[in-house]
Amino acid sequence: MEQQFIDDEIDLLEYMKVVIKYKKFLFGFVFFCLISCFLFNTFSAPRYHVRSTFFIPAESGSAGGALMGYAKMFGVGGGGGNIGGYVKSLVESKRMKYQVADDLVELVKKSSYGKDLKGEKPMKETLGVLNLGKRFKMLEDKNGVFSISYMFEDPDIAIKVIEQYLSNIVLFNKQLEITAQKNVITILDEPEFPEHPSWPKKNFNYVLTLMSSGFFGVLLIFVFDYFRKLNR
């Protein structure tokens, strides 16, 4: 047992000697990675995150019969007369994306991201700029509280997207007769204008880069030293 401990200690010392031997490479590799991280943090366009939460009040009851007839027309799934399920399907439907994009055509045109919207179908071009399929998220927790969030380079557009989603849920409720209640949802957290970008996470990126580059730098040293010994 004591002999094994001594052998392990010797092996550790040998590993440390190898790292010290190539310390210049390790420092250079880590420094290069940190510089790359700095450039990424500096030149990446900042993105602003906007979030809102809401729930469906119990008074809304179950989904109305007319909803079943309109569901297919709007490209909406769901079933079982559950309003929460239908609302989720509505929010994630293509019809909702098209409606939000159509509502924001003029705002996007006025921004630096809409200067190329000169085609005959500005709504679809706006949809491409907003990239709602990837940047918009909707989640539901175990208590039935929904959260919707969106991230974009322009904070005015980011908050407007969430506001339009919320208003269009109410609009679709009237069109589809989901429930007799005027407001099918009750908002818990109103969307707030983002004062600071949430991406890139600069401090996190530096810490992650430092740790990962140190680990991979040491790994590269061991691999290089192993093949160097084989070629002797």
Side-chain angles (χ1 to χ4, degrees):
M1 186 71 176
E2 183 178 352
Q3 182 62 38
Q4 182 179 358
F5 176 77
I6 295 174
D7 291 340
D8 291 341
E9 190 175 48
I10 293 174
D11 290 340
L12 182 59
L13 289 173
E14 290 297 322
Y15 292 144
M16 292 179 65
K17 288 180 181 179
V18 173
V19 173
I20 293 173
K21 181 180 179 181
Y22 296 99
K23 62 181 182 294
K24 289 184 178 180
F25 166 80
L26 179 60
F27 291 148
F29 181 76
V30 171
F31 180 74
F32 171 79
C33 291
L34 288 174
I35 291 297
S36 300
C37 180
F38 170 77
L39 294 175
F40 174 82
N41 286 339
T42 302
F43 294 103
S44 294
R47 296 179 185 175
Y48 296 82
H49 182 262
V50 178
R51 179 176 177 269
S52 179
T53 61
F54 63 88
F55 70 94
I56 299 171
E59 295 79 18
S60 295
S62 59
L67 175 62
M68 304 297 287
Y70 288 110
K72 292 183 179 179
M73 180 181 71
F74 280 82
V76 177
N82 181 279
I83 295 179
Y86 279 115
V87 168
K88 190 173 188 297
S89 296
L90 280 170
V91 170
E92 296 175 344
S93 67
K94 290 183 178 179
R95 175 57 184 260
M96 177 65 83
K97 292 181 177 67
Y98 291 156
Q99 183 66 53
V100 171
D102 190 51
D103 294 338
L104 298 182
V105 167
E106 294 303 319
L107 179 61
V108 173
K109 277 185 176 180
K110 294 176 182 178
S111 73
S112 59
Y113 300 95
K115 56 186 178 182
D116 296 326
L117 298 185
K118 299 178 181 178
E120 298 180 355
K121 299 180 180 180
M123 186 271 288
K124 289 191 175 181
E125 293 178 357
T126 300
L127 189 63
V129 171
L130 297 177
N131 197 9
L132 297 175
K134 292 184 177 180
R135 296 194 179 186
F136 177 83
K137 305 294 181 183
M138 182 177 188
L139 299 172
E140 180 183 7
D141 67 15
K142 61 182 180 181
N143 297 316
V145 176
F146 295 90
S147 68
I148 56 175
S149 61
Y150 180 69
M151 186 179 291
F152 195 71
E153 289 82 356
D154 188 322
D156 292 311
I157 294 178
I159 190 171
K160 197 64 179 177
V161 164
I162 296 299
E163 289 175 346
Q164 288 305 124
Y165 264 96
L166 293 173
S167 63
N168 284 335
I169 292 174
V170 178
L171 174 65
F172 283 178
N173 175 47
K174 294 178 181 179
Q175 293 178 344
L176 300 179
E177 300 177 13
I178 299 176
T179 173
Q181 295 290 328
K182 183 178 180 180
N183 293 320
V184 67
I185 62 173
T186 298
I187 298 175
L188 290 175
D189 297 310
E190 294 281 354
E192 296 182 356
F193 186 84
E195 298 292 341
H196 305 286
S198 58
W199 188 92
K201 300 180 183 296
K202 296 184 178 181
N203 292 335
F204 174 79
N205 288 345
Y206 284 128
V207 172
L208 181 62
T209 299
L210 182 62
M211 295 176 63
S212 58
S213 62
F215 173 79
F216 284 109
V218 172
L219 184 62
L220 286 173
I221 287 173
F222 288 148
V223 171
F224 175 79
D225 187 68
Y226 172 77
F227 282 106
R228 186 184 65 84
K229 291 178 179 179
L230 285 181
N231 293 328
R232 281 183 177 178

